[in-house]
Amino acid sequence: SIAMAAQMTDSHRRFLQVLMSHGIMEGSEARKLHRRCCEMHKVYYAHDKLDDFINTINVHLQPLFMQIRKGMSEDDGRVRYALVNLAETEITKMASDYAENELELFRKTMDLIILSENGFASSTEILNFADQLKTKKMKKKEAEQVLKLFVEDKWLSEKNGEYTLHTRCIMEMEQYILSNYQGVARKCNICHSLAIQSQVCETCGIGMHLPCVGKYFKAQTEPRCPHCNDFWPHEIP
């Protein structure tokens, strides 16, 4: 109940404002911001209490169906904080920002990424869909612009012409993805959150995030699957 929760102060409001403008933030940045907000507004600052500080904000965001979530980036395994919308975690949230054919292209991209082996889709694959869209066909140039937008708006991220889901998108859409891609979308065997960029056991089919793979096998002389104990055939990151 809100009555029980710690009071929101200007330090909390400022923290929320800055996070809103970024959409997502690395753990170290969020810790710095926490300190800055407390010092600016002369409220008590405890360096190990960031999650409590965020929890206070979350209680007050609850009636708005929003939440600051803590997650992990699949690229580097580091903590991220993101402001997510709980009311419309589905692609409906995007519907106010994009045209129908742009959304269709996003859905196709999402299919390609989630159905791929490694969690990436090449721009060639995605652009091949542009002139087959049911809602309204797109020229390649147009589609390239739309992909750029998806990256700017942190729905996708791109490395050397390969696209994957942005960390913020995964944090926001985890439930949507798990329920819409049942039997395909995997949870990481180590940290149990949704794994898009992952390595998969060729014997039993479990998946692990690359950073989790690295951490898990660090202590082992011979890499064996944590689930079925068969030899792990992939290169350890």
Side-chain angles (χ1 to χ4, degrees), residues 178-190:
L178 288 170
S179 58
N180 281 44
Y181 295 90
Q182 277 171 357
V184 186
R186 293 184 188 83
K187 284 192 168 188
C188 172
N189 194 259
I190 303 299

Side-chain angles (χ1 to χ4, degrees), residues 11 73 81 89 94 118 132-133 161 172 174 180 195 202 220:
S11 64
S73 159
Y81 290 91
T89 45
M94 301 176 72
N118 61 354
Q132 302 167 27
L133 297 174
E172 179 126 29
E174 181 161 4
N180 281 44
E202 288 169 9
Q220 300 194 2

Side-chain angles (χ1 to χ4, degrees), residues 25 69-73 77-82 167 171 193:
M25 212 176 234
R69 261 196 198 151
K70 187 180 186 175
M72 179 192 80
S73 159
R78 290 202 195 123
V79 168
R80 297 284 191 280
Y81 290 91
T167 307
M171 287 167 77
S193 58

Side-chain angles (χ1 to χ4, degrees), residues 27 68 76 90 110 117 138 160 172 188 199 216-217 225:
I68 298 172
D76 56 21
E90 320 239 340
M110 206 169 187
E117 273 294 288
M138 252 186 233
N160 323 321
E172 179 126 29
C188 172
Q199 289 183 355
Y216 180 76
F217 288 131
C225 172

Side-chain angles (χ1 to χ4, degrees), residues 99-148:
E100 270 185 37
N101 61 344
E102 296 173 340
L103 282 182
E104 193 185 344
L105 189 68
F106 182 79
R107 282 201 187 88
K108 285 274 178 246
T109 305
M110 206 169 187
D111 288 346
L112 287 168
I113 290 169
I114 291 168
L115 300 175
S116 73
E117 273 294 288
N118 61 354
F120 283 91
S122 73
S123 57
T124 318
E125 282 182 292
I126 300 167
L127 294 173
N128 282 342
F129 276 113
D131 56 359
Q132 302 167 27
L133 297 174
K134 290 183 181 68
T135 43
K136 181 171 172 260
K137 292 178 176 37
M138 252 186 233
K139 294 193 171 65
K140 278 231 159 73
K141 270 270 168 279
E142 255 182 288
E144 277 168 356
Q145 280 309 112
V146 173
L147 283 176
K148 247 200 196 104

Side-chain angles (χ1 to χ4, degrees), residues 146-181:
V146 173
L147 283 176
K148 247 200 196 104
L149 259 183
F150 287 144
V151 170
E152 273 168 34
D153 294 344
K154 301 189 171 82
W155 294 110
L156 297 177
S157 53
E158 182 264 336
K159 275 203 288 250
N160 323 321
E162 298 272 314
Y163 290 85
T164 189
L165 299 181
H166 194 288
T167 307
R168 198 196 62 131
C169 174
I170 296 172
M171 287 167 77
E172 179 126 29
M173 293 204 182
E174 181 161 4
Q175 279 326 109
Y176 173 87
I177 292 168
L178 288 170
S179 58
N180 281 44
Y181 295 90

